[in-house]
Amino acid sequence: MIPTFAALLTQEQVERVHSASLEILAEVGLLVRNQRARQIFAAHGAQVDHQTEIVKLPPQVVDHYQQMFPPTFTFYGREPRYDRTIPGDSPLILTGSSAPNIIDPVTGSERRARSDDLARIAHLINELPGYDVFSISTLADDAPKGQFSLSRFYPSIKNTVKPVRANTPPAEAEDMLRLVYQVAGGEAAFRERPFVTFHYCPVVSPLTMDFDSTELLIFFAERNLPSYFSIVPNAGLTSPLTMPATLAQCNAEFLAAATLTQMIQPGKAMIYSTLPTVADMRSGAYSPGAIETGMLHMACAQMARFYNISAGGYIGLTNSKINDAQSGYESGMSVVAGYLGGVDIYNMGGLLDALMAFDFAKAVIDGEIALMLKRIRRGFEFSEAELALDQIAEVGPGGMFAGTEHTLERMRATMYLADIADRDPRAQWQERGGLDAHARALRKAKEILTRANLALLPPEVDARIRAEFPGMVAGDSLPPEGWKRVQREDESESDMGDRRRRRRHARGVTA
Amino acid sequence: MIPTFAALLTQEQVERVHSASLEILAEVGLLVRNQRARQIFAAHGAQVDHQTEIVKLPPQVVDHYQQMFPPTFTFYGREPRYDRTIPGDSPLILTGSSAPNIIDPVTGSERRARSDDLARIAHLINELPGYDVFSISTLADDAPKGQFSLSRFYPSIKNTVKPVRANTPPAEAEDMLRLVYQVAGGEAAFRERPFVTFHYCPVVSPLTMDFDSTELLIFFAERNLPSYFSIVPNAGLTSPLTMPATLAQCNAEFLAAATLTQMIQPGKAMIYSTLPTVADMRSGAYSPGAIETGMLHMACAQMARFYNISAGGYIGLTNSKINDAQSGYESGMSVVAGYLGGVDIYNMGGLLDALMAFDFAKAVIDGEIALMLKRIRRGFEFSEAELALDQIAEVGPGGMFAGTEHTLERMRATMYLADIADRDPRAQWQERGGLDAHARALRKAKEILTRANLALLPPEVDARIRAEFPGMVAGDSLPPEGWKRVQREDESESDMGDRRRRRRHARGVTA
């Protein structure tokens, strides 16, 4: 953690946002569409009007449950080495989630995303060191009826050993848990290492809790399963067109859903997760790439510190349709603002066009931005040894540090050695094809996706699951048509043969 | 100014860097190649060995002159509305300077930069609202003998009313001043509004003051003309390959040159200006685009605050050869890190390829990044009115803020309304040509550069100068060959005719 976070608000202003939120909750209240939620609120001290569905929360009730907010949140991997706890392990980098579309990596055109895309995306994220958690990046247009969330979850969990963040409609929640427990080898095993975290958006701004998402909040809180929610006000449309008011409303909405969570399951782990935006009122455009989103996240992080809870959410997104300078500066500026402002968790990776489309090259580029952010985390590694006054004296005025032992020992240690950023002179860069960052990133994605995925679920688990869920999508990460499969150094010829057979199988070809 | 800056160092570490710097200056000392500098040092308490040319500065001497560091620095415009004083007006955005090459805006190829390019660049920067100061962006390959700096300065001052930052070799320093005074209408007039600030790099790391640049330090300090210097260590080559040691050496080098400045002209305004980098030791590449440059700037800003002086320098540069995602995230991430870390001044604009080439589109894109940074400066504009609790109550749960009076009043006020970033849906963006940020930025540059520049020096000043400096470059901002001149709304037909004649004249065509 860095010694001092930047703050856009004074401590007095933070406290005023808190008191303003309490005023909103007590005097304006929330429209709560879900009857069970209203009953829970009513049973725990809220004023509930079942006719108007308005729930008002007295300050002492909010304060009471706020005392129960837990200070940490853990994401578990299928492999323990990928377990991550915030705020200690911040910044935690996730993919952006639930884009309907994908930029086809072979044609470069946008189309609907499918379950086989998700298998590849999970495979890619599993291999990119910048990412900590795979938040399921797209929808799956090929999902069989009744398997909307299973068709997204299964290719994901099959292809990564990193923690997975998933969501589901209420109707499929029980099936999702059955599938999750199958992967884990039973409920008890899952509860020991709950490698899936569920996510939902229970509040429709302004100040409304809808039926379905609130049902999910209750479902996961009652079962005490890893889950959290995000608040998503959009200034000018669903919140007032000022930064302080949007923050106050966002904070009130967070406190409402957090209070309900703690009423159901006291001490349940949560995250102060948001996607606060300002609408571009020239066109009404949804603008998560704007710098105001980074600023609102900084302020949310201040509020979260006030409540002693981790902060973050959707930050580092872009409005650009391609990997150009815009996508670079929009993603890069907001995440640095967020990190220096104390944001712990970033749903930033892989999405273009305001969450509309996943792009493999963007995921690789964001993986590099993630590692730059983590380089900031490492900071100066300050010590007397690193001050190296003897080295400065030894080399002396006019000397050269290039060949010294001190330098040789640190050749790969001090700097983040960029993978996508090109630092060669123009002539050399041109000789190697003059590729832009997008082309270099896509090349990297291709390198990974044309090799076998070693993170796969064991075949026996796979077989068990396919038997229990007939018609389930294949969920294998095979190179897309047009990209040739390449043998890994650690892979035998017969492994390659196995993979070829599975590939034909997945495409419905019988050997 | 934001309420709290981010810090990568604790206050204890800042103090240790200071004391380590004093140790370096007292025990290792500097190699000072300039005899006059050694004499000044010797006359003011330093230990000077004229044989070895090593100058050692006792801590009490450094401390004594450090008390004289002034807290502010002012850049003056040719027009007073462009005057800027840091830290009050931070962030101050400048162009990057002295690139040898330019990306030709018509062909897109790299070539040597010329004086007519500089005229266009000054014109562009004059029109772009993100920029505060024009630091002369390129060299001028067509400079007549003996007019190296005049050929760069004259097209610059002719085409912008914003403050200009210039440099000069010692041999041309007197001529430069004659030219500056001509523009101002005499030395007294210039000293009243000194619209040119001079810049030099007196220290060659490690710990060496070279002859020429130190001569410039003395020249401008003796005359008490607006000027400052930058310190440019490169970890792994010219400083140790650790962040704390590079910071300590950089700080020692700053203190040495600052002490010499204050010995000559007590209280002279200065800036803690740097370009600290870490070399990419895989190839030795110079890497100002790396995140470590942003981090070193944050730490330098902490040191500067310790000395109560403004901070900044070359931050926001890129190693990319084109305007791609790399150039976007490299420029964007470092400047946000810098601003939230308390950096006041940014030589960021317009350069690609590690300061090797100016690009018009990059200058436009950086102008947008600059305005995003300035949006962060505006912050939350926190007040009870902006908290808008009555508006939240009035619209109420489930309501809509889009049409309210409160929203309509703020349509253009809350958000920075991006000019280059595209926020339209993909289909609309594609219909309009599917241009990337580079193409949109270049179009913007073309819009500006095909119209007349209204910032020109008065013709009588121009005539006086051309008479005094025979052979001086034309210095007019004419559209490059291939771009058609467009009439401004506020321009008459005869203005257009005048411009056409001047254009032919500049190209050596006699009417």
Side-chain angles (χ1 to χ4, degrees):
Chain A
M1 206 175 289
I2 67 174
T4 313
F5 290 128
L8 297 184
L9 303 176
T10 64
Q11 197 53 31
E12 199 181 19
Q13 289 166 351
V14 167
E15 286 165 26
R16 179 62 187 121
V17 172
H18 172 64
S19 69
S21 306
L22 295 183
E23 279 174 54
I24 293 168
L25 293 174
E27 288 160 30
V28 182
L30 269 88
L31 181 61
V32 180
R33 300 285 196 195
N34 186 299
Q35 194 187 355
R36 287 176 67 206
R38 288 199 303 275
Q39 287 165 344
I40 296 164
F41 272 127
H44 294 79
Q47 293 166 19
V48 177
D49 183 330
H50 288 282
Q51 202 75 37
T52 60
E53 303 184 336
I54 291 288
V55 172
K56 294 184 177 176
L57 295 169
Q60 65 276 17
V61 171
V62 179
D63 273 348
H64 175 74
Y65 289 99
Q66 185 217 303
Q67 304 303 321
M68 300 176 188
F69 292 0
T72 65
F73 191 99
T74 300
F75 290 88
Y76 292 90
R78 236 169 69 205
E79 292 183 3
R81 67 192 161 115
Y82 289 111
D83 293 358
R84 295 287 185 276
T85 298
I86 46 176
D89 292 330
S90 306
L92 235 58
I93 309 299
L94 287 70
T95 36
S97 41
S98 301
N101 301 326
I102 190 165
I103 308 300
D104 186 284
V106 179
T107 68
S109 296
E110 190 190 39
R111 60 167 170 78
R112 286 282 172 174
R114 300 181 307 249
S115 62
D116 59 325
D117 295 317
L118 274 171
R120 285 177 206 110
I121 299 170
H123 177 185
L124 181 72
I125 298 305
N126 192 65
E127 298 270 343
L128 291 175
Y131 289 94
D132 298 291
V133 177
F134 178 52
S135 182
I136 303 180
S137 301
T138 68
L139 307 184
D141 202 42
D142 58 334
K145 199 167 149 45
Q147 296 194 346
F148 172 76
S149 48
L150 305 188
S151 301
R152 300 175 61 214
F153 174 67
Y154 184 62
S156 303
I157 196 68
K158 193 169 179 182
N159 287 283
T160 182
V161 292
K162 292 182 179 177
V164 170
R165 203 196 79 170
N167 59 17
T168 175
E172 287 184 28
E174 294 283 2
D175 277 351
M176 271 291 277
L177 287 187
R178 271 203 305 139
L179 175 51
V180 167
Y181 296 156
Q182 276 287 9
V183 173
E187 180 175 345
F190 178 73
R191 285 191 177 270
E192 210 166 291
R193 299 196 48 72
F195 51 76
V196 186
T197 298
F198 293 93
H199 179 264
Y200 37 87
C201 294
V203 178
V204 179
S205 298
L207 299 168
T208 302
M209 297 190 78
D210 81 346
F211 183 84
D212 272 11
S213 299
T214 305
E215 195 67 19
L216 290 169
L217 183 155
I218 298 169
F219 181 91
F220 290 109
E222 282 181 341
R223 284 157 186 77
N224 201 18
L225 287 164
S227 61
Y228 70 100
F229 58 85
S230 296
I231 303 293
V232 290
N234 187 11
L237 299 177
T238 67
S239 71
L241 192 51
T242 81
M243 303 285 276
T246 295
L247 178 63
Q249 183 188 307
C250 181
N251 192 60
E253 292 169 344
F254 167 76
L255 287 176
T259 300
L260 179 60
T261 304
Q262 298 300 319
M263 284 174 171
I264 299 167
Q265 192 67 247
K268 183 176 191 313
M270 303 185 305
I271 300 171
Y272 193 117
S273 176
T274 62
L275 169 46
T277 48
V278 178
D280 189 326
M281 300 305 284
R282 292 173 296 187
S283 63
Y286 185 59
S287 310
I291 194 64
E292 287 82 6
T293 295
M295 296 169 65
L296 283 161
H297 269 288
M298 291 179 71
C300 285
Q302 282 193 266
M303 296 313 301
R305 281 200 295 286
F306 181 72
Y307 301 126
N308 193 28
I309 185 170
S310 296
Y314 295 76
I315 174 168
L317 299 169
T318 182
N319 280 82
S320 184
K321 270 57 71 180
I322 48 176
N323 288 303
D324 62 354
Q326 178 187 346
S327 76
Y329 68 71
E330 286 187 338
S331 289
M333 291 176 80
S334 276
V335 296
V336 172
Y339 185 61
L340 295 180
V343 171
D344 298 299
I345 175 170
Y346 301 73
N347 272 90
M348 69 168 288
L351 301 194
L352 291 171
D353 190 11
L355 300 114
M356 284 303 289
F358 178 88
D359 180 69
F360 286 95
K362 178 76 163 92
V364 172
I365 290 168
D366 289 339
E368 173 135 317
I369 292 174
L371 292 173
M372 292 167 79
L373 218 53
K374 291 177 182 196
R375 177 64 190 87
I376 299 179
R377 175 199 157 93
R378 269 176 56 207
F380 269 62
E381 296 169 322
F382 202 94
S383 70
E384 283 299 312
E386 294 289 285
L387 261 178
L389 295 184
D390 47 351
Q391 173 73 3
I392 291 173
E394 203 182 305
V395 169
M400 168 51 79
F401 292 87
T404 71
E405 199 179 326
H406 184 271
T407 298
L408 293 172
E409 282 168 7
R410 286 163 178 77
M411 293 282 277
R412 304 189 69 84
T414 299
M415 179 182 235
Y416 160 60
L417 296 172
D419 184 24
I420 299 305
D422 186 291
R423 291 170 176 160
D424 284 337
R426 182 177 298 270
Q428 267 176 261
W429 167 78
Q430 259 161 348
E431 264 170 41
R432 286 182 291 91
L435 299 182
D436 69 2
H438 169 81
R440 297 193 300 269
L442 192 61
R443 186 175 58 190
K444 171 89 179 177
K446 187 173 177 178
E447 273 167 27
I448 291 173
L449 294 177
T450 49
R451 286 168 169 75
N453 183 8
L454 303 183
L456 281 183
L457 278 182
E460 62 278 12
V461 176
D462 194 37
R464 213 164 59 206
I465 289 168
R466 304 201 65 81
E468 182 162 345
F469 296 94
M472 172 81 88
V473 297
D476 291 316
S477 170
L478 304 171
E481 292 284 356
W483 282 6
K484 198 172 165 300
R485 179 85 164 75
V486 175
Q487 191 172 349
R488 294 179 75 113
E489 282 173 25
D490 50 3
E491 193 181 17
S492 69
E493 262 300 324
S494 74
D495 285 342
M496 279 284 284
D498 277 353
R499 297 279 305 181
R500 270 194 296 271
R501 275 187 296 280
R502 290 176 64 172
R503 178 183 190 136
R504 282 197 298 270
H505 173 74
R507 291 198 177 128
V509 182
T510 348
Chain B
M1 206 175 291
I2 66 174
T4 314
F5 290 128
L8 297 183
L9 303 176
T10 64
Q11 197 53 31
E12 198 180 19
Q13 289 165 351
V14 166
E15 285 165 26
R16 179 62 188 121
V17 172
H18 172 64
S19 70
S21 307
L22 294 184
E23 278 174 57
I24 294 168
L25 293 174
E27 290 160 29
V28 181
L30 270 87
L31 181 62
V32 179
R33 300 285 196 195
N34 185 299
Q35 194 188 356
R36 286 177 67 209
R38 289 199 302 276
Q39 288 165 343
I40 296 164
F41 272 127
H44 294 80
Q47 295 165 19
V48 176
D49 183 330
H50 286 282
Q51 202 74 38
T52 61
E53 302 185 337
I54 291 288
V55 172
K56 294 184 176 175
L57 295 169
Q60 64 277 16
V61 172
V62 179
D63 274 347
H64 174 75
Y65 289 100
Q66 185 217 302
Q67 304 303 322
M68 299 176 187
F69 292 0
T72 65
F73 192 98
T74 300
F75 290 88
Y76 293 89
R78 235 169 70 207
E79 292 183 4
R81 67 191 161 116
Y82 289 111
D83 293 358
R84 296 287 184 276
T85 297
I86 47 176
D89 292 330
S90 305
L92 236 59
I93 310 299
L94 286 70
T95 36
S97 42
S98 300
N101 300 327
I102 190 165
I103 309 301
D104 187 285
V106 179
T107 68
S109 296
E110 189 189 39
R111 59 167 171 76
R112 288 283 174 175
R114 302 182 306 250
S115 63
D116 59 327
D117 295 316
L118 273 171
R120 285 179 207 109
I121 299 170
H123 177 186
L124 180 71
I125 298 304
N126 192 66
E127 298 270 342
L128 291 174
Y131 289 94
D132 298 291
V133 177
F134 179 52
S135 181
I136 302 179
S137 302
T138 69
L139 307 183
D141 203 42
D142 57 334
K145 201 168 148 44
Q147 296 194 347
F148 172 76
S149 49
L150 305 188
S151 302
R152 299 175 60 213
F153 173 68
Y154 183 63
S156 304
I157 197 67
K158 194 169 177 181
N159 287 283
T160 183
V161 291
K162 292 182 179 178
V164 170
R165 203 197 78 170
N167 59 17
T168 175
E172 289 185 26
E174 294 283 3
D175 277 352
M176 270 291 275
L177 287 187
R178 270 204 304 139
L179 174 49
V180 166
Y181 297 156
Q182 276 287 10
V183 174
E187 179 174 347
F190 178 73
R191 286 189 176 271
E192 210 165 293
R193 300 197 46 73
F195 51 78
V196 186
T197 298
F198 293 93
H199 179 263
Y200 37 87
C201 295
V203 178
V204 179
S205 298
L207 299 167
T208 302
M209 297 190 77
D210 81 347
F211 183 85
D212 272 10
S213 299
T214 306
E215 195 67 20
L216 289 170
L217 183 156
I218 298 168
F219 181 91
F220 291 109
E222 282 180 342
R223 285 159 185 77
N224 201 18
L225 287 165
S227 61
Y228 70 100
F229 58 85
S230 297
I231 303 294
V232 290
N234 187 12
L237 300 177
T238 67
S239 70
L241 191 51
T242 80
M243 303 283 276
T246 295
L247 178 63
Q249 183 188 305
C250 181
N251 191 60
E253 291 168 346
F254 167 75
L255 287 176
T259 299
L260 178 60
T261 304
Q262 299 300 320
M263 285 173 171
I264 299 166
Q265 192 67 249
K268 183 176 190 314
M270 302 186 305
I271 300 172
Y272 193 117
S273 177
T274 62
L275 170 47
T277 47
V278 178
D280 189 327
M281 300 305 283
R282 292 173 297 187
S283 63
Y286 185 59
S287 310
I291 193 64
E292 288 81 5
T293 295
M295 295 169 65
L296 284 161
H297 269 287
M298 290 179 71
C300 285
Q302 283 194 265
M303 297 312 302
R305 280 200 295 286
F306 182 74
Y307 301 126
N308 193 26
I309 185 171
S310 295
Y314 296 76
I315 174 168
L317 299 168
T318 182
N319 280 83
S320 184
K321 272 56 72 179
I322 48 176
N323 287 304
D324 60 355
Q326 179 187 346
S327 76
Y329 69 71
E330 285 187 339
S331 290
M333 291 177 80
S334 277
V335 295
V336 172
Y339 185 61
L340 294 180
V343 170
D344 298 300
I345 176 171
Y346 301 74
N347 273 90
M348 69 168 289
L351 301 194
L352 291 170
D353 192 10
L355 301 114
M356 285 302 290
F358 177 88
D359 179 69
F360 285 95
K362 179 76 163 93
V364 172
I365 289 168
D366 289 340
E368 172 134 316
I369 292 174
L371 292 173
M372 291 168 79
L373 219 53
K374 291 177 181 193
R375 177 64 189 88
I376 299 180
R377 174 200 158 93
R378 268 177 57 205
F380 269 62
E381 296 170 322
F382 202 94
S383 69
E384 284 299 312
E386 293 289 287
L387 261 178
L389 295 186
D390 48 350
Q391 172 73 5
I392 291 174
E394 202 181 303
V395 169
M400 168 51 79
F401 292 87
T404 72
E405 198 179 326
H406 185 271
T407 299
L408 293 172
E409 281 167 10
R410 287 163 176 78
M411 294 284 277
R412 304 189 70 84
T414 300
M415 179 182 237
Y416 161 60
L417 296 172
D419 185 24
I420 298 307
D422 184 290
R423 292 172 176 158
D424 284 336
R426 183 177 298 270
Q428 266 175 262
W429 168 76
Q430 260 162 346
E431 263 169 41
R432 284 183 291 91
L435 299 182
D436 70 2
H438 170 81
R440 296 194 301 268
L442 191 60
R443 185 175 59 190
K444 171 89 180 179
K446 188 174 178 180
E447 273 168 27
I448 291 173
L449 295 176
T450 50
R451 285 168 169 76
N453 184 6
L454 302 184
L456 282 182
L457 279 180
E460 63 277 13
V461 176
D462 194 38
R464 211 163 61 205
I465 289 168
R466 306 201 63 82
E468 183 160 346
F469 297 93
M472 173 80 89
V473 297
D476 291 316
S477 171
L478 304 173
E481 293 283 357
W483 283 5
K484 196 172 168 299
R485 181 82 164 77
V486 175
Q487 190 172 350
R488 294 179 74 114
E489 281 173 25
D490 51 2
E491 195 182 16
S492 69
E493 261 300 326
S494 73
D495 284 343
M496 279 284 284
D498 275 355
R499 297 279 305 181
R500 271 195 295 272
R501 276 189 294 281
R502 290 175 67 171
R503 178 181 189 137
R504 282 197 299 270
H505 173 76
R507 294 201 175 124
V509 182
T510 348

